[in-house]
Amino acid sequence: MSITYDYKGRSVVITGGAKGIGLAAAKRFHSSGANVSLWDMDEGRLNEVKDNFSGKIDTQVVDVTKWDSVNAAAENSFKSIGGADILVNSAGIAGPNFKTWEYPIEEWMKVVDIDLNGTFLCCRALVPFMRENKYGRIVNIASIAGKEGNPNAAPYSAAKAGVIGLTKSLGKELADMNITVNCITPAAVRTEIFDQISQEHIDFMLSKIPIGRFGTVDEIANLITWLSSEECSFSTGGVFDISGGRATY
Ligand code: NAD
């Protein structure tokens, strides 16, 4: 039985919300009374989610790497859900697995662009509204890879380390404005992102988790919804571990 938070009247933007962790978080927010807007570039899946969602939900087709696209989505979401009290940056890709010296250049750029620059652009678009509103909660989905550096996943590890740095900087900049910025660093969770990763790398990630299993999207959504709550008021710029014991720091 999950805890229900009081999110009535709160507006939540979730990037990467058509699938996986973002979608699980969307369900928790929605069942807690929030008005939710899902941002994703996968239009087909967004439509499917909208059709099957148990309630009203806003969806925006967005490419988080494009400033114009992010800005337009922000405007549309404001009209549709009444603002953006909470931003969850979950859009991301893993990229393929190669040694760094063999990593395809285009693929490197793509991973960093989506995972790091996309997170920046969404914060860039929504923080001014939060400042005006004198309230905000931002949760960035980084990764254990950003703390530890996974071999054969250098752009992903580097981008997620960048998300941790961005979280710490922005958290301090907004610390006296009733806006918190935190990130989480999950170990592996079986979602469609696994389709991008080699079986060898999946086995490696599992072997590193002392609890001996993958996390679940609901376990990750639990932490996201707590970090996004009003109750979580004295943590900002924080890096919250959720790695089945892999990282004990
Ligand atoms: P997922 O593939 O299920 O969902 C990611 C979503 O992001 C997809 O719906 C995809 O369409 C969307 N997306 C990708 N590029 C986009 C873009 N340019 N613009 C807008 N949307 C875009 O993956 P997930 O497992 O739910 O991952 C969510 C987040 O959690 C990612 O940032 C990922 O790096 C992070 N994470 C995942 C795991 C894991 O093992 N699943 C572990 C640690 C961190």
Side-chain angles (χ1 to χ4, degrees):
M1 186 68 179
S2 313
I3 298 166
T4 303
Y5 293 95
D6 183 6
Y7 278 115
K8 274 182 226 67
R10 290 283 182 215
S11 43
V12 187
V13 169
I14 305 176
T15 76
K19 293 177 212 138
I21 292 169
L23 180 57
K27 289 177 180 162
R28 284 296 300 275
F29 280 115
H30 186 269
S31 64
S32 299
N35 299 316
V36 179
S37 181
L38 302 182
W39 292 11
D40 206 289
M41 69 186 302
D42 188 337
E43 188 171 7
R45 289 294 286 273
L46 273 182
N47 290 337
E48 239 175 74
V49 169
K50 197 167 189 159
D51 289 346
N52 297 321
F53 211 78
S54 62
K56 197 172 166 285
I57 196 153
D58 179 63
T59 57
Q60 301 291 332
V61 181
V62 189
D63 180 348
V64 295
T65 68
K66 305 273 183 299
W67 177 237
D68 288 350
S69 174
V70 169
N71 240 335
E75 236 174 71
N76 293 338
S77 289
F78 286 178
K79 280 186 205 136
S80 164
I81 61 168
D85 299 312
I86 296 160
L87 167 64
V88 178
N89 280 302
S90 189
I93 59 168
N97 299 116
F98 287 99
K99 297 285 183 226
T100 304
W101 58 92
E102 291 165 350
Y103 215 93
I105 312 288
E106 289 287 303
E107 296 290 343
W108 176 291
M109 300 297 178
K110 197 170 153 194
V111 173
V112 174
D113 211 19
I114 295 172
D115 292 359
L116 176 56
N117 297 339
T119 302
F120 159 66
L121 291 180
C122 294
C123 292
R124 177 77 177 74
L126 297 188
V127 165
F129 169 82
M130 293 178 180
R131 278 168 46 89
E132 217 170 277
N133 205 28
K134 297 187 172 47
Y135 182 83
R137 295 284 182 267
I138 299 175
V139 181
N140 296 324
I141 317 304
S143 168
I144 188 72
K147 283 168 87 173
E148 301 237 316
N150 279 343
N152 306 307
Y156 185 72
S157 303
K160 294 298 187 179
V163 169
I164 292 171
L166 163 64
T167 301
K168 291 179 177 180
S169 296
L170 186 59
K172 290 187 182 82
E173 289 166 4
L174 297 169
D176 60 353
M177 297 178 198
N178 204 18
I179 302 169
T180 64
V181 189
N182 292 293
C183 69
I184 65 169
T185 53
V189 175
R190 188 177 285 287
T191 67
E192 289 177 45
I193 210 169
F194 274 30
D195 298 346
Q196 302 164 29
I197 306 170
S198 71
Q199 189 56 49
E200 197 185 356
H201 194 69
I202 292 170
D203 295 343
F204 162 80
M205 293 191 301
L206 181 58
S207 75
K208 289 283 181 186
I209 303 175
I211 283 183
R213 63 168 174 83
F214 296 120
T216 68
V217 291
D218 290 331
E219 286 171 322
I220 311 299
N222 289 341
L223 183 55
I224 294 170
T225 37
W226 178 71
L227 286 170
S228 303
S229 70
E230 259 180 86
E231 276 178 26
C232 177
S233 49
F234 199 54
S235 296
T236 196
V239 183
F240 287 76
D241 183 68
I242 178 154
S243 67
R246 176 168 171 186
T248 49
Y249 59 94

mmCIF file of all heavy atoms in Angstrom, residues 16 18-21 40-42 62-64 90-93 114 141-143 156 160 186-189 191-194, ligand 1:
data_model
loop_
_atom_site.group_PDB
_atom_site.id
_atom_site.type_symbol
_atom_site.label_atom_id
_atom_site.label_comp_id
_atom_site.label_asym_id
_atom_site.label_seq_id
_atom_site.Cartn_x
_atom_site.Cartn_y
_atom_site.Cartn_z
ATOM 1 N N GLY A 16 9.891 12.698 -20.088
ATOM 2 C CA GLY A 16 10.076 11.253 -20.241
ATOM 3 C C GLY A 16 8.919 10.489 -19.618
ATOM 4 O O GLY A 16 9.049 9.329 -19.230
ATOM 5 N N ALA A 18 6.188 9.244 -20.779
ATOM 6 C CA ALA A 18 5.402 8.253 -21.531
ATOM 7 C C ALA A 18 5.720 6.817 -21.128
ATOM 8 O O ALA A 18 4.985 5.893 -21.480
ATOM 9 C CB ALA A 18 5.640 8.424 -23.037
ATOM 10 N N LYS A 19 6.816 6.648 -20.422
ATOM 11 C CA LYS A 19 7.259 5.273 -20.107
ATOM 12 C C LYS A 19 7.964 5.203 -18.754
ATOM 13 O O LYS A 19 8.321 6.220 -18.173
ATOM 14 C CB LYS A 19 8.284 4.800 -21.160
ATOM 15 C CG LYS A 19 7.747 4.612 -22.530
ATOM 16 C CD LYS A 19 8.843 4.208 -23.505
ATOM 17 C CE LYS A 19 8.496 4.790 -24.861
ATOM 18 N NZ LYS A 19 9.658 5.346 -25.545
ATOM 19 N N GLY A 20 8.193 3.973 -18.346
ATOM 20 C CA GLY A 20 9.133 3.668 -17.266
ATOM 21 C C GLY A 20 8.933 4.451 -15.983
ATOM 22 O O GLY A 20 7.831 4.561 -15.434
ATOM 23 N N ILE A 21 10.027 4.998 -15.500
ATOM 24 C CA ILE A 21 10.037 5.676 -14.201
ATOM 25 C C ILE A 21 9.133 6.914 -14.224
ATOM 26 O O ILE A 21 8.370 7.157 -13.279
ATOM 27 C CB ILE A 21 11.500 6.059 -13.838
ATOM 28 C CG1 ILE A 21 12.320 4.784 -13.565
ATOM 29 C CG2 ILE A 21 11.543 7.014 -12.656
ATOM 30 C CD1 ILE A 21 13.829 4.995 -13.454
ATOM 31 N N ASP A 40 7.058 14.200 -23.585
ATOM 32 C CA ASP A 40 7.862 13.105 -24.151
ATOM 33 C C ASP A 40 7.940 13.289 -25.652
ATOM 34 O O ASP A 40 7.054 13.906 -26.259
ATOM 35 C CB ASP A 40 7.220 11.748 -23.821
ATOM 36 C CG ASP A 40 8.231 10.611 -23.791
ATOM 37 O OD1 ASP A 40 8.721 10.221 -24.879
ATOM 38 O OD2 ASP A 40 8.547 10.123 -22.686
ATOM 39 N N MET A 41 8.980 12.744 -26.269
ATOM 40 C CA MET A 41 9.072 12.851 -27.730
ATOM 41 C C MET A 41 8.358 11.704 -28.434
ATOM 42 O O MET A 41 8.146 11.758 -29.638
ATOM 43 C CB MET A 41 10.529 12.976 -28.191
ATOM 44 C CG MET A 41 11.369 11.750 -28.017
ATOM 45 S SD MET A 41 13.107 12.088 -28.433
ATOM 46 C CE MET A 41 12.962 12.643 -30.104
ATOM 47 N N ASP A 42 7.967 10.677 -27.677
ATOM 48 C CA ASP A 42 7.304 9.522 -28.285
ATOM 49 C C ASP A 42 5.783 9.763 -28.304
ATOM 50 O O ASP A 42 5.053 9.417 -27.367
ATOM 51 C CB ASP A 42 7.649 8.270 -27.464
ATOM 52 C CG ASP A 42 7.173 6.996 -28.134
ATOM 53 O OD1 ASP A 42 6.230 7.065 -28.953
ATOM 54 O OD2 ASP A 42 7.738 5.933 -27.836
ATOM 55 N N VAL A 62 7.390 16.724 -26.902
ATOM 56 C CA VAL A 62 8.530 17.623 -26.670
ATOM 57 C C VAL A 62 9.832 16.891 -26.953
ATOM 58 O O VAL A 62 9.984 15.734 -26.570
ATOM 59 C CB VAL A 62 8.606 18.049 -25.174
ATOM 60 C CG1 VAL A 62 9.642 19.145 -24.981
ATOM 61 C CG2 VAL A 62 7.274 18.473 -24.629
ATOM 62 N N ASP A 63 10.748 17.591 -27.573
ATOM 63 C CA ASP A 63 12.123 17.104 -27.616
ATOM 64 C C ASP A 63 12.903 17.969 -26.623
ATOM 65 O O ASP A 63 13.090 19.164 -26.844
ATOM 66 C CB ASP A 63 12.701 17.248 -29.029
ATOM 67 C CG ASP A 63 14.141 16.758 -29.112
ATOM 68 O OD1 ASP A 63 14.750 16.522 -28.044
ATOM 69 O OD2 ASP A 63 14.652 16.621 -30.231
ATOM 70 N N VAL A 64 13.341 17.353 -25.535
ATOM 71 C CA VAL A 64 13.960 18.156 -24.460
ATOM 72 C C VAL A 64 15.299 18.774 -24.870
ATOM 73 O O VAL A 64 15.836 19.617 -24.163
ATOM 74 C CB VAL A 64 14.139 17.346 -23.142
ATOM 75 C CG1 VAL A 64 12.801 16.966 -22.546
ATOM 76 C CG2 VAL A 64 15.054 16.144 -23.335
ATOM 77 N N SER A 90 12.859 13.218 -16.125
ATOM 78 C CA SER A 90 13.117 11.776 -16.262
ATOM 79 C C SER A 90 13.469 11.380 -17.691
ATOM 80 O O SER A 90 13.879 10.243 -17.925
ATOM 81 C CB SER A 90 11.882 10.986 -15.793
ATOM 82 O OG SER A 90 12.131 9.615 -15.703
ATOM 83 N N ALA A 91 13.311 12.304 -18.662
ATOM 84 C CA ALA A 91 13.660 11.956 -20.052
ATOM 85 C C ALA A 91 15.134 11.581 -20.107
ATOM 86 O O ALA A 91 15.980 12.284 -19.559
ATOM 87 C CB ALA A 91 13.379 13.137 -20.982
ATOM 88 N N GLY A 92 15.421 10.483 -20.755
ATOM 89 C CA GLY A 92 16.823 10.079 -20.837
ATOM 90 C C GLY A 92 17.000 8.871 -21.722
ATOM 91 O O GLY A 92 16.044 8.134 -22.003
ATOM 92 N N ILE A 93 18.227 8.704 -22.179
ATOM 93 C CA ILE A 93 18.586 7.484 -22.908
ATOM 94 C C ILE A 93 19.881 6.937 -22.309
ATOM 95 O O ILE A 93 20.639 7.683 -21.673
ATOM 96 C CB ILE A 93 18.780 7.725 -24.429
ATOM 97 C CG1 ILE A 93 19.874 8.766 -24.699
ATOM 98 C CG2 ILE A 93 17.462 8.142 -25.076
ATOM 99 C CD1 ILE A 93 20.312 8.821 -26.163
ATOM 100 N N ILE A 114 20.650 14.753 -24.572
ATOM 101 C CA ILE A 114 19.346 14.430 -23.960
ATOM 102 C C ILE A 114 19.460 14.425 -22.432
ATOM 103 O O ILE A 114 18.686 15.073 -21.730
ATOM 104 C CB ILE A 114 18.814 13.073 -24.478
ATOM 105 C CG1 ILE A 114 18.520 13.149 -25.975
ATOM 106 C CG2 ILE A 114 17.580 12.636 -23.698
ATOM 107 C CD1 ILE A 114 18.165 11.833 -26.639
ATOM 108 N N ILE A 141 16.379 12.956 -12.400
ATOM 109 C CA ILE A 141 16.736 11.538 -12.317
ATOM 110 C C ILE A 141 18.148 11.379 -12.884
ATOM 111 O O ILE A 141 18.353 11.352 -14.108
ATOM 112 C CB ILE A 141 15.744 10.628 -13.085
ATOM 113 C CG1 ILE A 141 14.280 11.048 -12.834
ATOM 114 C CG2 ILE A 141 15.977 9.165 -12.700
ATOM 115 C CD1 ILE A 141 13.841 11.097 -11.391
ATOM 116 N N ALA A 142 19.109 11.295 -11.974
ATOM 117 C CA ALA A 142 20.497 11.041 -12.392
ATOM 118 C C ALA A 142 20.666 9.527 -12.459
ATOM 119 O O ALA A 142 19.783 8.829 -12.970
ATOM 120 C CB ALA A 142 21.466 11.711 -11.423
ATOM 121 N N SER A 143 21.753 8.998 -11.941
ATOM 122 C CA SER A 143 21.961 7.549 -11.982
ATOM 123 C C SER A 143 23.154 7.192 -11.113
ATOM 124 O O SER A 143 24.064 8.012 -10.927
ATOM 125 C CB SER A 143 22.243 7.081 -13.413
ATOM 126 O OG SER A 143 22.713 5.741 -13.410
ATOM 127 N N TYR A 156 26.992 8.275 -20.749
ATOM 128 C CA TYR A 156 25.881 8.197 -19.791
ATOM 129 C C TYR A 156 26.390 8.565 -18.392
ATOM 130 O O TYR A 156 25.788 9.389 -17.696
ATOM 131 C CB TYR A 156 25.293 6.785 -19.811
ATOM 132 C CG TYR A 156 24.059 6.616 -18.954
ATOM 133 C CD1 TYR A 156 22.843 7.165 -19.339
ATOM 134 C CD2 TYR A 156 24.105 5.897 -17.750
ATOM 135 C CE1 TYR A 156 21.706 7.013 -18.552
ATOM 136 C CE2 TYR A 156 22.985 5.734 -16.962
ATOM 137 C CZ TYR A 156 21.780 6.292 -17.365
ATOM 138 O OH TYR A 156 20.658 6.137 -16.587
ATOM 139 N N LYS A 160 25.259 11.934 -16.411
ATOM 140 C CA LYS A 160 24.564 11.828 -15.120
ATOM 141 C C LYS A 160 25.372 12.487 -14.006
ATOM 142 O O LYS A 160 24.800 13.060 -13.079
ATOM 143 C CB LYS A 160 24.254 10.361 -14.806
ATOM 144 C CG LYS A 160 23.240 9.720 -15.784
ATOM 145 C CD LYS A 160 21.890 10.421 -15.737
ATOM 146 C CE LYS A 160 20.829 9.702 -16.557
ATOM 147 N NZ LYS A 160 19.512 10.360 -16.503
ATOM 148 N N PRO A 186 19.383 6.168 -9.112
ATOM 149 C CA PRO A 186 18.974 4.763 -9.081
ATOM 150 C C PRO A 186 20.033 3.831 -9.667
ATOM 151 O O PRO A 186 20.753 4.200 -10.595
ATOM 152 C CB PRO A 186 17.725 4.722 -9.984
ATOM 153 C CG PRO A 186 17.342 6.139 -10.247
ATOM 154 C CD PRO A 186 18.593 6.949 -10.063
ATOM 155 N N ALA A 187 20.090 2.618 -9.098
ATOM 156 C CA ALA A 187 20.756 1.517 -9.807
ATOM 157 C C ALA A 187 19.734 0.995 -10.824
ATOM 158 O O ALA A 187 18.654 1.555 -10.979
ATOM 159 C CB ALA A 187 21.177 0.445 -8.822
ATOM 160 N N ALA A 188 20.067 -0.091 -11.488
ATOM 161 C CA ALA A 188 19.257 -0.535 -12.626
ATOM 162 C C ALA A 188 17.827 -0.923 -12.242
ATOM 163 O O ALA A 188 17.583 -1.550 -11.208
ATOM 164 C CB ALA A 188 19.944 -1.713 -13.297
ATOM 165 N N VAL A 189 16.914 -0.511 -13.104
ATOM 166 C CA VAL A 189 15.481 -0.796 -12.972
ATOM 167 C C VAL A 189 15.040 -1.289 -14.346
ATOM 168 O O VAL A 189 15.311 -0.612 -15.348
ATOM 169 C CB VAL A 189 14.716 0.509 -12.646
ATOM 170 C CG1 VAL A 189 13.216 0.279 -12.627
ATOM 171 C CG2 VAL A 189 15.199 1.110 -11.334
ATOM 172 N N THR A 191 13.288 -1.367 -17.357
ATOM 173 C CA THR A 191 12.317 -0.611 -18.156
ATOM 174 C C THR A 191 12.745 -0.780 -19.613
ATOM 175 O O THR A 191 13.724 -1.472 -19.905
ATOM 176 C CB THR A 191 12.334 0.905 -17.810
ATOM 177 O OG1 THR A 191 13.592 1.435 -18.222
ATOM 178 C CG2 THR A 191 12.116 1.167 -16.336
ATOM 179 N N GLU A 192 12.071 -0.062 -20.501
ATOM 180 C CA GLU A 192 12.431 -0.194 -21.920
ATOM 181 C C GLU A 192 13.824 0.353 -22.225
ATOM 182 O O GLU A 192 14.362 0.113 -23.297
ATOM 183 C CB GLU A 192 11.365 0.486 -22.791
ATOM 184 C CG GLU A 192 10.077 -0.307 -22.777
ATOM 185 C CD GLU A 192 8.972 0.362 -23.571
ATOM 186 O OE1 GLU A 192 9.225 0.823 -24.694
ATOM 187 O OE2 GLU A 192 7.837 0.414 -23.054
ATOM 188 N N ILE A 193 14.398 1.100 -21.279
ATOM 189 C CA ILE A 193 15.761 1.615 -21.497
ATOM 190 C C ILE A 193 16.747 0.439 -21.639
ATOM 191 O O ILE A 193 17.789 0.575 -22.278
ATOM 192 C CB ILE A 193 16.179 2.578 -20.351
ATOM 193 C CG1 ILE A 193 17.162 3.638 -20.867
ATOM 194 C CG2 ILE A 193 16.761 1.845 -19.168
ATOM 195 C CD1 ILE A 193 17.422 4.796 -19.892
ATOM 196 N N PHE A 194 16.387 -0.738 -21.073
ATOM 197 C CA PHE A 194 17.251 -1.920 -21.184
ATOM 198 C C PHE A 194 17.441 -2.336 -22.646
ATOM 199 O O PHE A 194 18.428 -2.982 -22.980
ATOM 200 C CB PHE A 194 16.662 -3.101 -20.393
ATOM 201 C CG PHE A 194 17.040 -3.134 -18.932
ATOM 202 C CD1 PHE A 194 17.292 -1.966 -18.225
ATOM 203 C CD2 PHE A 194 17.127 -4.342 -18.241
ATOM 204 C CE1 PHE A 194 17.627 -1.989 -16.874
ATOM 205 C CE2 PHE A 194 17.462 -4.389 -16.897
ATOM 206 C CZ PHE A 194 17.713 -3.215 -16.206
HETATM 207 P P1 NAD B 1 12.496 4.741 -20.484
HETATM 208 O O1 NAD B 1 13.236 4.494 -21.750
HETATM 209 O O2 NAD B 1 11.452 3.785 -20.051
HETATM 210 O O3 NAD B 1 11.869 6.220 -20.476
HETATM 211 C C1 NAD B 1 12.593 7.324 -20.926
HETATM 212 C C2 NAD B 1 11.641 8.242 -21.659
HETATM 213 O O4 NAD B 1 12.386 9.408 -22.107
HETATM 214 C C3 NAD B 1 11.022 7.627 -22.908
HETATM 215 O O5 NAD B 1 9.609 7.716 -22.862
HETATM 216 C C4 NAD B 1 11.600 8.427 -24.056
HETATM 217 O O6 NAD B 1 10.711 8.565 -25.167
HETATM 218 C C5 NAD B 1 11.879 9.767 -23.381
HETATM 219 N N1 NAD B 1 12.864 10.569 -24.121
HETATM 220 C C6 NAD B 1 14.045 10.175 -24.625
HETATM 221 N N2 NAD B 1 14.638 11.178 -25.291
HETATM 222 C C7 NAD B 1 13.804 12.247 -25.206
HETATM 223 C C8 NAD B 1 13.846 13.588 -25.693
HETATM 224 N N3 NAD B 1 14.883 14.044 -26.427
HETATM 225 N N4 NAD B 1 12.817 14.420 -25.411
HETATM 226 C C9 NAD B 1 11.760 13.977 -24.681
HETATM 227 N N5 NAD B 1 11.653 12.714 -24.205
HETATM 228 C C10 NAD B 1 12.675 11.858 -24.459
HETATM 229 O O7 NAD B 1 13.635 4.846 -19.346
HETATM 230 P P2 NAD B 1 13.506 4.877 -17.753
HETATM 231 O O8 NAD B 1 14.201 3.662 -17.248
HETATM 232 O O9 NAD B 1 12.139 5.187 -17.323
HETATM 233 O O10 NAD B 1 14.478 6.093 -17.454
HETATM 234 C C11 NAD B 1 14.014 7.318 -16.927
HETATM 235 C C12 NAD B 1 15.215 8.087 -16.375
HETATM 236 O O11 NAD B 1 15.812 7.335 -15.316
HETATM 237 C C13 NAD B 1 16.324 8.314 -17.407
HETATM 238 O O12 NAD B 1 16.868 9.599 -17.234
HETATM 239 C C14 NAD B 1 17.347 7.256 -17.048
HETATM 240 O O13 NAD B 1 18.655 7.620 -17.432
HETATM 241 C C15 NAD B 1 17.191 7.217 -15.535
HETATM 242 N N6 NAD B 1 17.659 5.973 -14.926
HETATM 243 C C16 NAD B 1 17.135 4.800 -15.326
HETATM 244 C C17 NAD B 1 17.616 3.625 -14.751
HETATM 245 C C18 NAD B 1 17.106 2.286 -15.171
HETATM 246 O O14 NAD B 1 17.804 1.291 -14.933
HETATM 247 N N7 NAD B 1 15.933 2.174 -15.767
HETATM 248 C C19 NAD B 1 18.612 3.689 -13.761
HETATM 249 C C20 NAD B 1 19.110 4.927 -13.388
HETATM 250 C C21 NAD B 1 18.615 6.074 -13.975
#
